């Protein structure tokens, strides 16, 4: 492959360019980094221009900008919309970083920096794949559009608006995304499902003041008792969610999909030991990878109330609080799920207690058919480079914009990730294994050629 020689000859140059981008602290969640976000968007636009893309523009939104580019000179050939994001997570706690998060450093074949694997490093692969194809062939084998946003880490509030208003501009035959990971080193995977998400905040109130447990204990409702009892009613002893209607829209796992999970060869005993657990826990009848990839969940993310200081305080608290999130699958409707949970909570709350419930996030699950010829070609491309054909998986995480892009454009989303599960995305010492950077370039080129 002549593109391979191009990558090898320009590897140091390409990594130096990536380091420039990674040095920009484009943290979308923190307003003081607004200028950095603009700089990161401009850097992406300049990189696309250098690669040979056309119609490059920075599109301002009510929040952070979207970077668009296209190269549409392959009549009769498919069009790929390549999606990624240039914004990154905050870096706290800073003291746990071995090297500064925005001073990219290579150690042991790994590139350390915030955004290295999520997602600057992975979208950079696509920019350089296009650059190599144009440099070596003077043309692309397919039509290509780029859409790189700066708000993925804050749930993409403005891209759906732009998508709805400019659907034809973004029209394509597939959405190509690298923002996921291999199963493990040398074992590629294509995600055919991402779980949806919904969340709520629950406040429970009893008396109008905290009360002395000696004077009032046993005679008035205790907010903590009421909340603990209420939250315990959300699951049965087999790990299933007990909320009426929660499983509406959940489809049974097909034998083919279950076989794909088996092929992963996941070692549950090793996980148990690594986590220091007596045993794993979850919905009966499903393996660990099925539970976290293809089944819905309801989780308590925070529960608090009453006295939490040092020592003892014999008080009956007047209020207690909880945060709840759900991961959704298949055709579950996040609004319907939230409404069902709220109805359950109100129906089961103890006498003497009142509830205030605030519904927050809502995102549908993403699913695509692994038998789609485009996904099959993607699996073949991995095999040509890695020597192992990609397995089709379901991922437990949520990238809400993927479902929106696939649904609005009416096309499959091809989730070709090149990260690894242990690369600390969202955590201190985030990094990207350069072996997968190199192989990712070749895999994307193979995939585009195969189309």
């Amino acid at each position: 492959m002549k593109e391979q020689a191009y990558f090898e000859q320009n590897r140091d140059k390409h990594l130096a360019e990536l380091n420039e981008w990674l040095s920009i602290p484009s943290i979308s969640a923190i307003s003081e980094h607004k200028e950095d976000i603009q700089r990161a968007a401009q850097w992406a636009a300049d990189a696309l221009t250098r690669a040979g893309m056309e119609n490059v523009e920075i599109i301002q939104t009510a929040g952070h900008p979207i970077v668009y580019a296209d190269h549409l000179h392959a009549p009769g050939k498919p069009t790929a919309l390549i999606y990624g994001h240039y914004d990154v997570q905050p870096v706290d706690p800073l003291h746990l970083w071995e090297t500064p998060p925005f001073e990219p450093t290579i150690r042991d074949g790994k590139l350390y920096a915030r955004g290295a694997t999520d997602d600057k490093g992975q979208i950079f692969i696509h920019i350089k794949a296009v650059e190599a194809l144009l440099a070596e062939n003077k043309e692309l084998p397919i039509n290509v559009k780029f859409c790189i946003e700066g708000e993925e880490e804050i749930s993409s509030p403005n891209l759906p608006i732009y998508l709805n208003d400019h659907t034809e501009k973004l029209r394509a035959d597939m959405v190509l995304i690298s923002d996921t990971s291999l199963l493990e080193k040398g074992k590629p995977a294509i995600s055919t499902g991402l779980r949806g998400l919904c969340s709520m905040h629950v406040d429970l109130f009893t008396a109008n003041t905290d009360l002395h447990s000696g004077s009032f204990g046993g005679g008035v409702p205790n907010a903590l008792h009421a909340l603990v009892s209420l939250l315990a009613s959300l699951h049965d002893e087999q790990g299933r969610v007990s909320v009426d209607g929660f499983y509406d829209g959940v489809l049974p796992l097909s034998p083919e999909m279950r076989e794909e999970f088996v092929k992963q060869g996941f070692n549950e005993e090793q996980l148990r030991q690594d986590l220091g657990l007596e045993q794993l826990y979850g919905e009966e009848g499903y393996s660990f990878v099925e539970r976290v990839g293809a089944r819905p969940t309801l989780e308590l993310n925070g529960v608090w109330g009453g006295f939490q200081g040092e020592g003892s305080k014999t008080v009956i608290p007047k209020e207690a609080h909880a945060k709840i999130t759900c991961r959704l699958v298949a055709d579950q409707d996040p609004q319907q799920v939230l409404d069902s949970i709220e109805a359950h909570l109100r129906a089961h709350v103890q006498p003497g207690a009142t509830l205030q419930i605030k519904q927050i996030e809502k995102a549908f699950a993403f699913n695509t058919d692994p038998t789609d010829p485009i996904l099959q070609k993607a699996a073949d491309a991995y095999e040509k480079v890695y020597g192992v054909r990609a397995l089709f998986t379901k991922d437990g995480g949520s990238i809400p914009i993927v479902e929106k892009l696939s649904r609005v454009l009416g096309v499959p989303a091809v989730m070709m990730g090149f990260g690894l599960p242990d690369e600390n995305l969202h955590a201190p010492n985030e990094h990207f294994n350069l072996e997968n950077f190199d192989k990712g370039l070749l895999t994307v080129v193979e995939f585009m050629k195969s189309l």
Side-chain angles (χ1 to χ4, degrees):
M1 182 198 294
K2 54 188 175 180
E3 292 84 9
Q4 183 170 0
Y6 180 88
F7 293 135
E8 291 172 353
Q9 293 164 9
N10 291 278
R11 188 174 190 264
D12 290 344
K13 176 186 174 185
H14 291 166
L15 287 176
E17 291 178 10
L18 177 56
N19 286 351
E20 288 181 8
W21 203 16
L22 292 171
S23 298
I24 302 172
S26 48
I27 303 172
S28 53
I30 301 176
S31 58
E32 68 187 59
H33 288 284
K34 187 173 183 179
E35 290 186 6
D36 296 318
I37 285 281
Q38 294 290 332
R39 286 199 297 130
Q42 186 63 59
W43 194 99
D46 293 342
L48 289 165
T49 300
R50 290 194 301 269
M53 294 298 293
E54 300 172 346
N55 301 311
V56 180
E57 58 180 315
I58 298 175
I59 301 153
Q60 300 298 331
T61 72
H64 302 319
I66 299 165
V67 181
Y68 173 86
D70 61 38
H71 194 283
L72 308 175
H73 300 290
K77 303 295 176 63
T79 299
L81 174 65
I82 300 173
Y83 165 83
H85 63 93
Y86 62 83
D87 66 319
V88 301
Q89 281 278 326
V91 298
D92 307 89
L94 187 59
H95 70 279
L96 294 181
W97 286 80
E98 294 182 23
T99 50
F102 297 109
E103 295 180 16
T105 306
I106 294 177
R107 300 194 301 274
D108 301 322
K110 303 171 184 177
L111 176 58
Y112 285 81
R114 175 59 91 222
T117 190
D118 183 23
D119 179 46
K120 288 178 180 175
Q122 296 207 55
I123 188 63
F124 186 77
I125 285 174
H126 292 274
I127 297 174
K128 290 304 166 185
V130 166
E131 177 181 297
L133 285 164
L134 286 172
E136 295 297 320
N137 305 286
K138 310 306 178 187
E139 63 181 6
L140 296 179
I142 59 173
N143 301 294
V144 171
K145 299 176 181 180
F146 276 89
C147 176
I148 308 176
E149 68 158 322
E151 297 183 323
E152 193 275 340
E153 300 292 5
I154 53 173
S155 300
S156 304
N158 288 292
L159 182 53
I161 299 170
Y162 184 80
L163 174 62
N164 289 334
D165 292 343
H166 299 85
T167 304
E168 290 308 312
K169 181 175 181 177
L170 299 178
R171 184 72 65 189
D173 297 294
M174 76 199 76
V175 181
L176 179 55
I177 303 169
S178 294
D179 197 10
T180 51
S181 66
L182 283 69
L183 287 173
E184 59 186 58
K185 179 180 170 64
K187 199 170 182 179
I190 297 172
S191 175
T192 63
L194 295 167
R195 292 195 289 187
L197 178 72
C198 62
S199 65
M200 63 169 50
H201 182 101
V202 180
D203 298 306
L204 183 147
F205 302 95
T206 51
N208 58 10
T209 184
D210 287 353
L211 297 168
H212 188 289
S213 65
S215 302
F216 293 90
V220 297
N222 181 311
L224 278 174
H225 291 184
L227 184 63
V228 169
S229 173
L230 184 58
L231 297 178
S233 74
L234 292 170
H235 293 86
D236 65 20
E237 294 182 357
Q238 287 72 47
R240 280 180 61 87
V241 177
S242 300
V243 175
D244 288 342
F246 180 82
Y247 291 97
D248 290 354
V250 177
L251 303 176
L253 287 177
S254 68
E256 294 78 13
M257 194 68 243
R258 300 198 86 159
E259 180 60 27
E260 287 293 313
F261 281 119
V262 172
K263 288 179 183 177
Q264 293 183 28
F266 188 83
N267 189 331
E268 293 193 5
E269 175 59 21
Q270 186 61 55
L271 175 68
R272 184 194 68 76
Q273 293 179 20
D274 291 345
L275 297 179
L277 293 169
E278 289 294 324
Q279 65 181 52
L280 301 180
Y281 175 80
E283 186 181 6
E284 283 189 358
Y286 297 93
S287 67
F288 174 82
V289 289
E290 290 173 339
R291 290 169 181 164
V292 302
R295 294 296 295 171
T297 64
L298 187 159
E299 300 286 353
L300 306 179
N301 307 119
V303 180
W304 68 98
F307 178 67
Q308 298 173 55
E310 184 178 358
S312 175
K313 183 181 181 183
T314 53
V315 65
I316 297 174
K318 70 183 183 68
E319 61 186 73
H321 314 274
K323 292 182 181 293
I324 298 173
T325 57
C326 299
R327 299 287 180 167
L328 310 178
V329 302
D331 297 325
Q332 282 181 293
D333 182 335
Q335 184 62 64
Q336 185 268 332
V337 170
L338 286 173
D339 290 343
S340 296
I341 296 171
E342 180 166 345
H344 176 97
L345 294 173
R346 295 194 183 283
H348 290 78
V349 67
Q350 286 185 4
T354 59
L355 291 174
Q356 289 184 5
I357 297 173
K358 182 180 180 181
Q359 299 183 8
I360 309 173
E361 299 159 294
K362 302 165 194 171
F364 284 87
F366 157 73
N367 289 283
T368 196
D369 182 1
T371 66
D372 188 295
I374 293 176
L375 273 75
Q376 292 295 317
K377 286 181 180 291
D380 293 338
Y382 274 112
E383 185 172 20
K384 287 184 178 180
V385 176
Y386 283 83
V388 178
R389 197 168 192 268
L391 291 176
F392 295 102
T393 65
K394 300 280 189 182
D395 287 348
S398 304
I399 310 177
I401 194 61
V402 175
E403 186 276 335
K404 291 184 175 68
L405 286 166
S406 180
R407 172 169 47 83
V408 173
L409 298 176
V411 297
V414 186
M415 303 285 290
M416 297 182 72
F418 298 103
L420 284 175
D422 61 354
E423 288 179 336
N424 287 20
L425 65 164
H426 293 205
N429 302 309
E430 178 181 347
H431 58 276
F432 191 18
N433 281 260
L434 294 181
E435 175 188 0
N436 291 319
F437 173 76
D438 296 329
K439 288 184 175 180
L441 291 165
L442 300 176
T443 304
V444 171
V445 168
E446 286 285 359
F447 178 53
M448 289 188 178
K449 285 183 173 181
S450 75
L451 294 169

